[in-house]
């Protein structure tokens, strides 16, 4: 009874403290800011976008930090005042910036129809034009945000609005369409296989077209009053997404859980090279980014390799040398958008990666001061081109390029006596080339796929828990091939892109190949670092589908992985090879059909070859 009383007291105390903090931030904001909420910013076609503006109480013109989002930033919800947006705004206003947050077209109080990354790019351009013309604006605008508040920034940056002075995109992979050979189309695909994160995400965010609408022409006064009790934030019933993602055919996944499905319906039918991917708000590498950019990525995010590839693309290929010289990058050892949640002992999944904190606010506001205020400061002298965190040694490092110039590729070859299945098999990984071909066999049954266990994920609800987890339990499965080096006699750091080439034969027309890179501890713990997949029909590129013939051996080059990890002396380097990683990626039903409209699959017998003629291999970027 005493313990229960103590718990109740602590709970009440916590609630009171939080309430005081909420009241305090609002009071402090009122002291320093002019707050203008539910401003309906006009677009060129007459649609108005709901916008909240927080700006310093000053007669001087100020720069703007702009965040556009599909998420609800209303100051009220369920009759209670919310302070999350106010807290972010306060940090900007106290430093002399206006903070402007806006809902995308068709979201909450914004007018029009919403489409994921499909709203007009001109909305961003028109917003910049409106903001620069305000009497309190100095005409300099920076875009800022993580995930859905980042993914729109790159394509809009390519429009080159004269007031768009700099950007800070974080966890921005869902805005990356094509970069070089990588064709993710905004995280919808990896290697031509569907990533199921948007199947889950759309259930929670796509609003019904029959939702109540605010009447056209509603005044700002009316909107502010209404927003106190009516935040236009519908909530779908909770769903067991781990079960929901098992439904076949995948085109009916949202229908099966009574989700709104119009946007999903058209996206699920698009192939990787569908022209519609190139008409929305996704960035592609034929679009020129001509502005200073401070990029943020993380090792356990869903699209670490495309993110790093985009940084390289802009840093190396921008037409203007000044633009090339003003690209900066931070890579943290966290999950999606979890940068500032790093602690003195950061746990990612179940692995400790040490003290991964970084002075984010200090660096970002120095960046804004440089580009939005025009201040002469020491950002460029103090800030390395690339800051990356090495797991294992648990340290921040810096480099002038990505990968660091002292990372050199070392080729490791797969080998076995034909029995690499499971942790207890004969699979090895070494720098010696195998000679005689004794292929390893994966019996891949799409009705019993390899379960995603940890990994580089986002937004799948309870279906996949991201991060590093001990893979030994997975490596008991007979449909996972395991290849491991000898015990390392000295420690080695692997930092950069990881390339892999596998030689495959199959009795199916089409199948998938998956791979993971793993750090094996002396006690057997095996922590995953990164993973990727390739749908074999797209092995020759995403412009065509080329199916397999039984008896033929095919070279499959997978989308590169990326990491920075120190393998200590006594550890081992391991890869896992299989044909599924579900529900991180959709199952290939092995039929050669559309896959999205099929409910039944066939079992595939897949063989991984390793010999002088078929040198299945992985190239590891080892630091000297």
């Amino acid at each position: 009874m005493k313990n229960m009383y103590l718990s109740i007291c602590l709970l009440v105390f916590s609630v009171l403290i939080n309430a005081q903090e909420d009241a305090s931030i609002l009071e402090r904001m009122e002291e320093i800011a002019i707050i203008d909420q539910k401003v309906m910013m006009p677009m060129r076609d007459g649609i108005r976008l709901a916008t909240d503006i927080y700006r310093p109480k000053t007669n001087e013109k100020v720069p703007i930090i702009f965040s556009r989002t599909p998420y609800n930033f209303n100051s009220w919800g369920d009759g209670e005042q919310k302070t999350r947006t106010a807290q972010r705004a306060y940090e900007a206003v106290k430093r002399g910036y206006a903070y402007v947050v806006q809902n995308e077209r068709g979201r909450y109080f914004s007018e029009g129809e919403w489409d994921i990354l499909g709203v007009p790019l001109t909305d961003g351009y028109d917003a910049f034009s409106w903001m620069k013309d305000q009497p309190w604006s100095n005409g300099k605008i920076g875009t800022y945000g993580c995930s859905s508040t980042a993914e729109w920034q790159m394509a809009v940056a390519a429009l080159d609005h004269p007031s768009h002075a700099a950007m800070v995109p974080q966890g921005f992979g869902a805005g990356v369409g094509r970069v070089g050979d990588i064709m993710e189309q905004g995280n919808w695909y990896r290697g031509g296989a569907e990533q199921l994160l948007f199947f889950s995400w759309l259930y929670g965010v796509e609003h019904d077209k029959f939702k109540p609408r605010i009447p056209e022409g509603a005044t700002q006064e009316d909107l502010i009053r209404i927003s106190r009790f009516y935040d236009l934030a519908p909530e779908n019933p909770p769903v067991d997404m781990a079960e929901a993602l098992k439904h076949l055919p995948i085109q009916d996944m949202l229908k099966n859980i009574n989700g709104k499905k119009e946007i999903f319906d058209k996206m699920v039918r698009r192939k990787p090279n569908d022209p519609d991917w190139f008409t929305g708000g996704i960035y592609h590498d034929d679009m020129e980014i001509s502005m200073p950019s401070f990029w943020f990525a993380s090792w356990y995010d869903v699209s670490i390799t495309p993110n790093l590839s985009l940084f390289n693309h802009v840093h190396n290929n921008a037409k203007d040398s000044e633009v090339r010289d003003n690209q900066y990058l931070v890579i943290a050892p966290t999950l999606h958008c979890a940068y500032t949640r790093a602690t003195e002992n950061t746990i990612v999944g179940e692995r400790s990666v040490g003290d991964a904190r970084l002075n984010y606010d200090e660096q970002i506001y120095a960046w804004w001061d440089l580009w939005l205020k025009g201040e002469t400061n020491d950002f460029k002298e103090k800030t390395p081109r690339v800051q990356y965190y090495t797991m294992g040694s648990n340290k921040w490092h810096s480099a002038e390029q990505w990968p660091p110039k002292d990372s050199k590729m070392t080729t490791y070859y797969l080998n076995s006596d034909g029995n690499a299945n499971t942790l207890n098999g004969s699979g090895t990984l070494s720098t010696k080339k195998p000679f005689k071909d004794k292929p390893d066999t994966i019996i891949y049954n799409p009705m019993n796929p390899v379960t995603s266990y940890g990994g580089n994920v986002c937004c799948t609800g309870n279906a996949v828990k991201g991060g590093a987890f001990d893979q030994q339990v997975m490596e008991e499965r007979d449909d996972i091939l395991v290849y491991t080096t000898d015990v390392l006699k000295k420690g080695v750091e692997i930092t950069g892109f990881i390339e892999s080439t596998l030689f495959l034969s199959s009795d199916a027309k089409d199948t998938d190949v998956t791979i993971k890179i793993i750090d094996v501890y002396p006690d057997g713990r095996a922590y995953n670092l990164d993973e990727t997949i390739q749908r074999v029909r797209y092995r020759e590129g995403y412009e065509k589908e080329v199916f397999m013939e039984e008896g033929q051996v095919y070279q499959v080059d997978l989308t590169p992985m990326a990491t920075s990890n120190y393998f200590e002396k006594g550890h081992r380097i391991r890869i896992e090879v299989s044909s599924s990683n579900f529900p991180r990626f959709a199952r290939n039903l092995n039929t050669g059909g559309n896959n999205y409209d099929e409910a039944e699959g066939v079992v595939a017998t897949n063989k991984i070859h390793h010999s002088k003629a078929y040198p299945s291999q992985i190239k590891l970027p080892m630091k000297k």
Side-chain angles (χ1 to χ4, degrees):
M1 180 65 80
K2 184 182 293 184
N3 288 339
M4 181 181 296
Y5 177 76
L6 179 60
S7 297
I8 293 172
C9 289
L10 289 173
L11 177 61
V12 171
F13 180 72
S14 175
V15 170
L16 290 172
I17 291 295
N18 289 335
Q20 290 173 356
E21 289 178 351
D22 288 348
S24 175
I25 190 65
L26 294 173
E27 290 170 358
R28 283 181 284 154
M29 178 65 82
E30 291 281 357
E31 291 174 1
I32 66 171
I34 297 169
I35 302 171
D36 203 8
Q37 294 182 320
K38 296 296 177 285
V39 175
M40 300 303 285
M41 188 184 294
M43 300 293 104
R44 64 185 61 184
D45 61 355
I47 292 296
R48 303 181 305 162
L49 305 187
T51 309
D52 285 0
I53 301 170
Y54 304 81
R55 56 188 177 88
K57 289 181 176 178
T58 177
N59 292 324
E60 296 181 2
K61 295 179 182 292
V62 297
I64 299 166
I65 297 173
F66 180 45
S67 178
R68 195 178 75 177
T69 178
Y71 298 123
N72 184 19
F73 61 80
N74 198 47
S75 294
W76 293 83
D78 299 324
E80 295 182 359
Q81 198 161 16
K82 306 296 183 182
T83 61
R84 185 175 181 182
T85 299
Q87 290 169 347
R88 292 175 177 170
Y90 180 78
E91 294 301 316
V93 172
K94 76 178 183 181
R95 292 174 168 89
Y97 293 91
Y99 182 81
V100 180
V101 58
Q102 181 179 85
N103 264 140
E104 292 177 359
R105 174 179 293 243
R107 300 294 291 176
Y108 303 101
F109 285 84
S110 286
E111 298 170 349
E113 298 299 325
W114 181 71
D115 190 352
I116 177 174
L117 289 171
V119 298
L121 283 180
T122 52
D123 281 0
Y125 197 94
D126 293 350
F128 298 150
S129 294
W130 187 92
M131 288 186 285
K132 81 173 179 60
D133 288 340
Q134 298 310 298
W136 44 264
S137 168
N138 78 347
K140 296 290 186 181
I141 301 166
T143 50
Y144 184 29
C146 193
S147 193
S148 290
T149 58
E151 60 200 24
W152 68 281
Q153 294 184 44
M154 290 80 70
V156 171
L159 298 182
D160 200 23
H161 192 285
S163 286
H164 193 188
M167 64 179 180
V168 179
Q170 303 171 312
F172 50 91
V176 181
R178 179 194 62 212
V179 181
D181 294 332
I182 298 172
M183 187 92 87
E184 287 224 346
Q185 304 299 19
N187 287 161
W188 194 268
Y189 283 105
R190 168 71 55 81
E194 301 93 341
Q195 303 194 69
L196 295 188
L197 70 97
F198 275 124
F199 292 50
S200 170
W201 186 81
L202 280 168
Y203 173 77
V205 301
E206 190 176 356
H207 295 171
D208 198 284
K209 62 185 177 183
F210 299 114
K211 71 178 182 181
R213 299 287 185 124
I214 301 298
E216 288 187 15
T219 67
Q220 183 181 13
E221 180 182 4
D222 286 337
L223 294 172
I224 291 173
R225 177 178 54 80
I226 293 169
S227 70
R228 293 172 63 90
F229 61 87
Y230 188 52
D231 65 1
L232 294 177
E235 297 178 6
N236 270 326
V239 163
D240 182 351
M241 203 54 68
E243 285 299 315
L245 294 179
K246 294 177 182 178
H247 184 80
L248 292 174
I250 64 173
Q251 68 177 11
D252 293 336
M253 278 184 179
L254 291 192
K255 178 182 178 181
N256 185 56
I257 53 177
N258 297 311
K260 186 175 183 292
K261 56 187 178 60
E262 284 83 353
I263 292 174
F264 173 83
D265 281 351
K266 66 182 181 182
M267 294 182 74
V268 77
R269 290 168 172 78
R270 292 182 191 170
K271 295 182 178 181
N273 66 335
D274 192 297
D276 284 348
W277 292 117
F278 298 87
T279 61
I282 299 176
Y283 172 86
H284 303 284
D285 58 11
D286 59 352
M287 304 163 72
E288 179 72 11
I289 290 179
S290 300
M291 74 171 47
S293 307
F294 196 4
W295 309 87
F296 287 80
S298 46
W299 290 130
Y300 285 96
D301 202 352
V302 69
S303 55
I304 180 61
T305 290
N307 286 1
L308 301 182
S309 298
L310 178 53
F311 164 79
N312 278 346
H313 173 71
V314 180
H315 177 50
N316 297 330
N317 299 306
K319 293 177 182 178
D320 189 323
S321 61
E322 185 176 357
V323 173
R324 294 195 299 271
D325 189 51
N326 286 293
Q327 305 299 314
Y328 290 81
L329 171 68
V330 172
I331 318 170
T334 62
L335 297 171
H336 181 67
C337 292
Y339 310 99
T340 59
R341 293 196 285 274
T343 65
E344 189 174 2
N345 180 32
T346 305
I347 308 295
V348 185
E350 60 185 18
R351 183 191 188 192
S352 170
V353 295
D355 187 348
R357 294 174 294 181
L358 192 67
N359 58 335
Y360 291 106
D361 282 351
E362 178 184 336
Q363 292 192 38
I364 291 170
Y365 277 100
W367 175 259
W368 293 137
D369 290 345
L370 178 64
W371 295 109
L372 303 187
K373 290 184 177 179
E375 292 184 359
T376 300
N377 63 21
D378 58 0
F379 175 88
K380 299 179 93 171
E381 289 71 29
K382 289 178 62 176
T383 311
R385 172 80 57 202
V386 178
Q387 299 169 78
Y388 66 93
Y389 194 85
T390 301
M391 299 171 288
S393 60
N394 298 342
K395 295 178 181 177
W396 282 102
H397 294 286
S398 62
E400 275 302 306
Q401 64 184 51
W402 183 262
K405 63 182 179 181
D406 55 351
S407 285
K408 305 299 181 184
M409 285 298 201
T410 302
T411 302
Y412 279 75
Y413 297 95
L414 285 61
N415 202 2
S416 77
D417 61 7
N419 295 287
N421 310 74
T422 80
L423 175 64
N424 302 310
S426 60
T428 63
L429 200 60
S430 75
T431 56
K432 295 181 180 179
K433 289 185 178 181
F435 287 91
K436 191 173 182 179
D437 190 21
K438 296 181 179 179
D440 296 303
T441 301
I442 302 167
I443 305 298
Y444 164 47
N445 181 356
M447 300 302 123
N448 182 29
V450 171
T451 305
S452 304
Y453 189 57
N456 313 67
V457 299
C458 162
C459 316
T460 55
N462 67 328
V464 187
K465 187 176 181 180
F469 289 86
D470 186 355
Q471 301 295 305
Q472 290 181 97
V473 64
M474 300 302 302
E475 292 165 352
E476 296 175 0
R477 290 185 61 124
D478 196 57
D479 53 0
I480 295 178
L481 307 179
V482 180
Y483 302 92
T484 311
T485 65
D486 291 335
V487 173
L488 299 175
K489 294 181 180 179
K490 61 179 182 179
V492 61
E493 181 182 324
I494 293 176
T495 294
F497 293 118
I498 299 168
E499 301 173 2
S500 49
T501 297
L502 301 175
F503 288 86
L504 169 79
S505 63
S506 179
D507 62 355
K509 290 178 64 178
D510 186 42
T511 196
D512 291 344
V513 178
T514 65
I515 195 167
K516 288 183 184 179
I517 179 77
I518 293 168
D519 184 350
V520 183
Y521 283 55
D523 62 4
R525 285 175 295 159
Y527 289 126
N528 50 297
L529 300 171
D530 198 6
E531 59 199 4
T532 193
I533 191 170
Q534 182 62 45
R535 187 144 291 175
V536 179
R537 69 174 71 180
Y538 295 117
R539 67 191 177 279
E540 297 183 18
Y542 299 103
E543 300 301 319
K544 58 182 178 180
E545 300 176 48
V546 183
F547 296 101
M548 295 184 291
E549 296 181 8
E550 190 169 358
Q552 299 294 312
V553 178
Y554 300 95
Q555 178 175 329
V556 182
D557 299 312
L558 288 84
T559 298
M561 297 178 284
T563 196
S564 180
N565 188 77
Y566 182 74
F567 294 77
E568 293 187 45
K569 175 183 178 181
H571 287 222
R572 290 176 290 164
I573 303 168
R574 172 175 294 164
I575 65 168
E576 291 177 6
V577 175
S578 192
S579 288
S580 53
N581 182 350
F582 175 80
R584 165 77 198 278
F585 304 106
R587 292 169 279 184
N588 193 327
L589 299 179
N590 300 327
T591 67
N594 288 326
N595 209 66
Y596 65 78
D597 58 0
E598 299 176 286
E600 295 183 5
V602 298
V603 175
T605 300
N606 298 330
K607 294 182 181 293
I608 301 297
H609 298 258
H610 35 74
S611 65
K612 187 175 182 180
Y614 305 124
S616 290
Q617 61 191 255
I618 185 166
K619 293 182 178 179
L620 302 176
M622 293 186 165
K623 286 196 69 177
K624 301 300 182 182

